[in-house]
Amino acid sequence: MKIDLKKCALWLLPAILILLIDRLFKVLFYDASVILIPGVLALTGAKNTGMAMGLFAGHPVLLVLLSVALIAICLYFLRSYRITGLAAVSISLIAGGAIGNALDRVFLGYVIDMIEVLFIDFYIFNVADIGVVCGAFLCGFSLLFRSKEWSSK
């Protein structure tokens, strides 16, 4: 089986970048309490035992299984389809974010969140969450407007 290094780099690099930046933020700001831009943005370390908006809080095994399922779905798409361009990057961002949060859940029992938007009443989140949400948005965009990037093998 021949490995296409360009294709691998297209989907592997964004996942690795999200994962590394997420780990760096979690190590540096796990217990932070710093206002970066008054009234706009702060770094506030928080332990999240749930997922988005606190769903399934206190059920770490279920959340690890959901993360593993999300990662498996991403790998399935990357292996089963000829995904290129923005579509490949979007799947990679989702996988990198899912791996980042899964590592926290497996080794800590919770996810470290630290990014707090101050001008609206919103949840604290992390870089992995940004990867998953941006990846999902870009995936939907590429499916709707760039369908040539998705083809079966």
Side-chain angles (χ1 to χ4, degrees):
M1 182 173 144
K2 186 178 175 186
I3 297 175
D4 182 358
L5 293 178
K6 264 187 167 177
K7 182 180 177 185
C8 285
L10 183 64
W11 63 263
L12 196 55
L13 188 59
I16 291 171
L17 284 175
I18 283 291
L19 185 57
L20 289 176
I21 294 168
D22 181 60
R23 300 290 350 133
L24 180 65
F25 265 65
K26 288 174 178 176
V27 167
L28 293 176
F29 305 115
Y30 70 95
D31 64 350
S33 182
V34 178
I35 295 176
L36 296 176
I37 303 171
V40 178
L41 187 66
L43 293 174
T44 306
K47 296 176 182 178
N48 182 359
T49 61
M51 56 186 274
M53 296 168 274
L55 293 172
F56 304 115
H59 296 88
V61 174
L62 174 63
L63 292 172
V64 169
L65 291 174
L66 286 172
S67 293
V68 169
L70 182 58
I71 296 163
I73 290 167
C74 290
L75 291 174
Y76 169 79
F77 276 110
L78 290 169
R79 296 218 5 105
S80 300
Y81 294 90
R82 287 190 187 142
I83 301 174
T84 61
L86 186 62
V89 171
S90 70
I91 297 293
S92 179
L93 290 172
I94 294 169
I99 292 168
N101 282 338
L103 289 172
D104 277 4
R105 288 190 180 103
V106 168
F107 292 110
L108 301 174
Y110 55 86
V111 171
I112 299 169
D113 290 332
M114 79 292 296
I115 302 169
E116 183 177 15
V117 178
L118 300 173
F119 60 90
I120 56 172
D121 186 23
F122 195 70
Y123 298 91
I124 301 172
F125 54 95
N126 61 41
V127 174
D129 298 336
I130 293 169
V132 171
V133 171
C134 290
F137 175 78
L138 292 173
C139 185
F141 178 84
S142 69
L143 281 168
L144 289 172
F145 301 108
R146 300 175 71 153
S147 59
K148 291 179 183 173
E149 293 179 346
W150 298 82
S151 64
S152 58
K153 286 188 175 179

